[in-house]
Amino acid sequence: MESNTPIIRPTLVLLVLFTLLTGVVYPLAVWGVGQTIFPREANGSLIEVNGRVVGSELVAQSFTGPEWFWPRPSAVSYDASSSGGSNLATTNPALLAAVQDRIAALRSAESATSKDRVPVDLVTASGSGLDPDITPAAAHFQATRVALARGLDVGEVRRLIQDHIQGRTFGFLGEPRVNILKLNLALRNVQSHE
Amino acid sequence: MAPDILQFIVYAAVVTGLAWPLGLYLARVYEGGATFASPVLAPVERAIHALAGSRADHGQHWTRYSLCVLAFSLGSFGFLYATLRLQHLLPLNPQGFGPLAPDLAFNTAVSFVTNTNWQAYGGETTMSYFSQMAGLAVQNFVSAGVGMAVCAAIIRGFFAREQKAIGNFWVDLTRSILYVLLPLSILMTLFLVWQGVPQNFLASVTATTVEGAQQVIAQGPAASQIAIKQLGTNGGGFWNANSSVPYENPTPLSNFAEMVAILLIPAAFCSMFGRMVRDMRQGVAIFAAMGILFLGALALTYGSEVGGNPAFARLPVEQPAGNMEGKEVRFGVGNSALWAIATTAASNGSVNSMHDSFTPLGALAPMLLMQVGEVVFGGVGSGFYGMLSFVVLTVFLAGLMVGRTPEYLGKKIEAREVKLSVIAFLVMPVGVLGLGALAAVLPIALASVQDAGPHGLSEILYAYSSATGNNGSAFAGFGANVPYHNTMQGIAMLLGRFVYIVPMLAVAGSLAAKKSAPASSGTFPTHGPLFVTLLVAVILILGGLTFFPALALGPIAEHVSMLAGQTF
């Protein structure tokens, strides 16, 4: 029975068939289904304001003005077409220097809260360089500065933060977090109503 | 801390709960039995074999089976290499990327054909959608299918009595894809799209940010590729930073599903093995050994990462979350550590955090898991047959201790099987220590190292462990995309794939031909705690002693200097 089964023809035929099946039919089929049932997600979870795309809720963008909440540092300058982290070793002096610079910059910006210790996520680069979230502690750390810059009540800004905290999924999966873009857009709405 | 532990427990429970029944289904698939999917898939299967002329009812001797594996892999390499070199002439290239350089195309083609998915390139800056879909994703399916087919054939060899054939490669390959990988991938894709992973053909989206800047956001048919890269222990990301990119892994739920997908099929091989050799206890014993090694590695990495970076201790920084450099807020340290262990226990290699920025001991466990040959669940198929090579060595050592010819599953294990298993075992030392040592002394190779001091050696060790182990994860600071490393890593990947496959198929062929040797009172039982302990010890002692000197100079030296406050 273990006579010579062919080798070359099955190799070529199966390669062509599997390329068609898994390389063309499969992605196109799930593309069709995905676009039909989850069109927003399948197209990048984009956020539009007045008909213009301002970003994706899943992708961090740069915020530098004092009136905005700032995202985590990005090793790729928030370039959403070239993701990446710093990849610096824990023992690399360049990492220590970068963190010290960020702490100094934050402490001078957050003069009112400069006695507080800085939450570590605000001074370390994320893995993707596009982390859309910060920890609730990191959001509260920035509340006073944002309130001052906007002439808002700090309590109101803190309430806004509380409203935007996403807890752990099912109470135990992942970490509590605040989406920066959504929080900042909400902040803009608060101001324009007053 | 407590939520992290709870996540680990739920993860272990879900993987076990899904993998065990999946393995019983796999046993039916590879024994040619009817499954619930057969009414639809059996006619497709028949049509494929008629077209391919595979002579599906003919069994193959292990030599023939090996030849088919090698021929199919060579053909795959040719297809993929040509696609990457010609992508500028092929369709679906909205960004207008040019062809890959010859050394990068060689490295990438070998990488995907060997189920490694080492990526010396950045997806969103290099690959056209056609290359991703019809080139890389196809290999994600078929290279996983090859590993599963080979493992099924090897398991048959362990059980067969006085037979020459161990299966038909074309049948096993086709069944792996049609009955297992494709249906699971479709489910997984839709789940991921629901969670926010894009599946479109837009070139990219240009957003005008809130502060008025322009942000170009890369898009593409990502979900379909991410599903199979997780399920097939491939690991190659659609985007450069892999599953840390929010588009590739948007939520804690997508993260959980992607982590389950890493270990699902590899763990299922344990119950498949138990069923196919008609003794579930044998599958349970191997599963237990894998589980013990997994938990030990997880404890080391998590324990090290959760403490944060000691270098920050003197700074005014709160580190309640632990070492966050290179990690995402939505995952935190718990899910990053769990993923790092899962992806290196299996030969997946996808990452949701940057291993290069892990604490030294946090990165040691993933490195060691790769160096012992990724036998802790391991690659789809490849992990299990790697583990079987350790099982052969373990029963041999046990036989030496009690002074009897070793037996496994009612077969005598003799010099031939032990020698072949030792050849498979030597692959990792040759690839990691041999090629790694070369890279550590040649100036042309050293130019790629990013960090000074012991971490630089860790980068080299990690890169060659990953390539030889067919893992694909990286210390990404290591500048791998240069002709020297593209070539040498390519060789390491070929070594790690085929110098495991052929000797283990030979072991299976040799065992299949043997008569059964009835168990006697002197037979060493290969289930139960004693055997599990011995198997774990053999893996740790053989693997550990081989790599300990190198690890002492890399991560361990770095750890000690870090505690002394030294930077490099």
Side-chain angles (χ1 to χ4, degrees):
Chain A
M1 281 299 275
E2 66 290 345
S3 59
N4 290 344
T5 45
I7 294 181
I8 295 182
R9 182 172 149 202
T11 292
L12 297 177
V13 173
L14 289 181
L15 266 176
V16 171
L17 287 180
F18 288 142
T19 299
L20 289 174
L21 185 65
T22 65
V24 180
V25 175
Y26 156 70
L28 286 178
V30 290
W31 169 76
V33 179
Q35 289 285 337
T36 311
I37 34 180
F38 308 114
R40 201 183 95 78
E41 289 81 0
N43 290 309
S45 307
L46 302 173
I47 296 184
E48 292 188 12
V49 174
N50 303 327
R52 286 202 0 211
V53 176
V54 297
S56 164
E57 67 169 87
L58 295 178
V59 179
Q61 56 182 251
S62 171
F63 283 98
T64 53
E67 72 277 27
W68 302 111
F69 285 94
W70 297 336
R72 298 183 63 194
S74 166
V76 295
S77 310
Y78 309 99
D79 181 349
S81 52
S82 182
S83 55
S86 76
N87 292 308
L88 293 173
T90 45
T91 54
N92 194 322
L95 174 64
L96 202 59
V99 169
Q100 279 168 325
D101 287 350
R102 290 169 191 149
I103 292 172
L106 279 173
R107 296 200 125 199
S108 71
E110 319 285 345
S111 51
T113 50
S114 66
K115 286 191 291 297
D116 293 353
R117 291 162 74 87
V118 183
V120 69
D121 57 307
L122 275 186
V123 293
T124 47
S126 62
S128 62
L130 303 171
D131 192 340
D133 306 311
I134 54 177
T135 57
H140 281 296
F141 182 80
Q142 304 182 50
T144 312
R145 166 183 44 87
V146 171
L148 279 174
R150 290 185 171 265
L152 292 173
D153 178 38
V154 180
E156 192 175 0
V157 173
R158 288 192 187 277
R159 268 196 301 283
L160 201 62
I161 293 173
Q162 287 304 122
D163 291 346
H164 280 80
I165 294 178
Q166 271 183 284
R168 296 190 165 96
T169 309
F170 310 134
F172 72 95
L173 272 186
E175 301 289 330
R177 59 203 191 276
V178 178
N179 184 295
I180 286 277
L181 182 56
K182 286 187 186 168
L183 178 63
N184 278 334
L185 288 173
L187 198 60
R188 190 162 71 172
N189 289 339
V190 169
Q191 192 130 30
S192 59
H193 290 158
E194 286 183 0
Chain B
M1 183 98 185
D4 290 338
I5 305 294
L6 181 61
Q7 293 185 69
F8 299 160
I9 293 171
V10 173
Y11 176 71
V14 170
V15 168
T16 309
L18 291 176
W20 206 257
L22 177 65
L24 304 181
Y25 168 77
L26 287 180
R28 283 195 80 76
V29 167
Y30 290 114
E31 287 180 337
T35 71
F36 68 92
S38 300
V40 182
L41 294 177
V44 180
E45 218 185 333
R46 275 196 296 277
I48 288 176
H49 291 309
L51 209 57
S54 0
R55 299 177 73 178
D57 50 345
H58 284 56
Q60 296 171 329
H61 189 250
W62 76 267
T63 49
R64 195 77 185 169
Y65 203 99
S66 305
L67 269 179
C68 291
V69 171
L70 295 175
F72 186 78
S73 300
L74 184 66
S76 295
F77 171 82
F79 261 54
L80 186 52
Y81 184 82
T83 305
L84 298 176
R85 294 284 289 147
L86 300 173
Q87 71 170 4
H88 56 302
L89 305 175
L90 293 165
L92 280 178
N93 186 6
Q95 302 96 325
F97 292 134
L100 272 67
D103 59 302
L104 181 59
F106 165 77
N107 180 281
T108 307
V110 168
S111 169
F112 278 74
V113 168
T114 56
N115 197 247
T116 308
N117 289 30
W118 172 268
Q119 294 174 290
Y121 61 89
E124 64 270 57
T125 54
T126 316
M127 291 287 168
S128 75
Y129 294 161
F130 186 86
S131 297
Q132 296 258 29
M133 268 169 50
L136 304 181
V138 170
Q139 283 308 315
N140 283 355
F141 276 98
V142 299
S143 68
V146 168
M148 294 167 71
V150 166
C151 191
I154 289 171
I155 292 174
R156 281 188 206 110
F158 272 74
F159 183 67
R161 301 278 184 273
E162 298 172 67
Q163 284 179 27
K164 288 181 180 161
I166 56 171
N168 180 308
F169 174 68
W170 309 117
V171 173
D172 291 341
L173 173 66
T174 306
R175 294 203 134 217
S176 303
I177 292 169
L178 287 186
Y179 284 77
V180 187
L181 294 170
L182 203 50
L184 286 175
S185 296
I186 291 170
L187 291 177
M188 184 76 182
T189 304
L190 295 178
F191 185 87
L192 290 178
V193 175
W194 171 50
Q195 288 298 301
V197 179
Q199 177 74 8
N200 61 48
F201 292 95
L202 308 168
S204 59
V205 171
T206 304
T208 306
T209 67
V210 176
E211 286 197 331
Q214 300 285 306
Q215 187 183 32
V216 179
I217 307 176
Q219 302 286 330
S224 55
Q225 188 162 337
I226 293 163
I228 181 61
K229 74 130 174 163
Q230 294 303 112
L231 285 164
T233 57
N234 300 284
F238 193 85
W239 287 291
N240 183 44
N242 212 292
S243 280
S244 73
V245 178
Y247 267 169
E248 193 142 340
N249 189 4
T251 64
L253 203 54
S254 69
N255 188 66
F256 191 80
E258 290 183 21
M259 284 195 304
V260 169
I262 291 176
L263 288 191
L264 180 64
I265 298 176
F269 270 85
C270 295
S271 62
M272 164 177 155
F273 177 70
R275 174 62 60 92
M276 284 178 77
V277 302
R278 307 289 181 267
D279 184 354
M280 288 309 287
R281 296 174 307 176
Q282 306 294 341
V284 173
I286 292 182
F287 186 85
M290 290 174 166
I292 289 167
L293 289 164
F294 186 92
L295 291 179
L298 178 61
L300 179 58
T301 289
Y302 179 68
S304 183
E305 289 299 296
V306 81
N309 185 345
F312 298 172
R314 290 182 305 278
L315 305 176
V317 171
E318 285 292 355
Q319 295 195 77
N323 175 26
M324 285 300 287
E325 180 72 22
K327 296 192 180 66
E328 302 279 302
V329 166
R330 64 194 178 285
F331 307 141
V333 162
N335 275 313
S336 301
L338 180 56
W339 184 300
I341 295 306
T343 197
T344 49
S347 79
N348 188 288
S350 62
V351 295
N352 75 348
S353 59
M354 296 299 126
H355 294 186
D356 212 349
S357 299
F358 272 32
T359 52
L361 293 186
L364 183 144
M367 222 184 288
L368 190 60
L369 282 171
M370 293 190 292
Q371 288 164 346
V372 297
E374 284 159 348
V375 295
V376 180
F377 303 108
V380 287
S382 59
F384 198 85
Y385 60 69
M387 188 54 128
L388 285 178
S389 74
F390 274 110
V391 167
V392 168
L393 296 178
T394 303
V395 294
F396 169 65
L397 291 174
L400 288 184
M401 285 187 237
V402 297
R404 275 182 55 105
T405 310
E407 292 163 20
Y408 187 57
L409 304 176
K411 298 274 184 62
K412 281 194 166 33
I413 302 290
E414 290 164 303
R416 181 177 161 85
E417 291 81 42
V418 175
K419 281 182 195 158
L420 288 163
S421 294
V422 168
I423 291 177
F425 172 77
L426 286 175
V427 165
M428 288 307 301
V430 168
V432 178
L433 300 178
L435 296 178
L438 209 53
V441 293
L442 292 179
I444 187 177
L446 279 171
S448 296
V449 173
Q450 175 190 258
D451 294 86
H455 195 81
L457 179 62
S458 295
E459 288 187 342
I460 294 173
L461 280 176
Y462 199 102
Y464 282 89
S465 301
S466 176
T468 316
N470 290 165
N471 184 278
S473 69
F475 271 13
F478 184 74
N481 186 14
V482 292
Y484 175 83
H485 290 298
N486 277 338
T487 309
M488 296 308 274
Q489 297 270 52
I491 292 168
M493 289 186 268
L494 291 170
L495 186 72
R497 177 76 163 175
F498 298 108
V499 185
Y500 257 103
I501 286 182
V502 177
M504 286 313 291
L505 279 171
V507 168
S510 160
L511 287 177
K514 292 191 183 200
K515 285 197 281 252
S516 94
S520 70
S521 59
T523 302
F524 181 67
T526 53
H527 51 80
L530 183 59
F531 178 75
V532 172
T533 310
L534 203 55
L535 179 57
V536 168
V538 166
I539 293 168
L540 287 179
I541 293 170
L542 281 181
L545 287 185
T546 310
F547 295 102
F548 183 77
L551 292 172
L553 295 172
I556 295 172
E558 191 191 5
H559 174 72
V560 175
S561 341
M562 180 180 77
L563 292 184
Q566 196 180 347
T567 55
F568 297 92

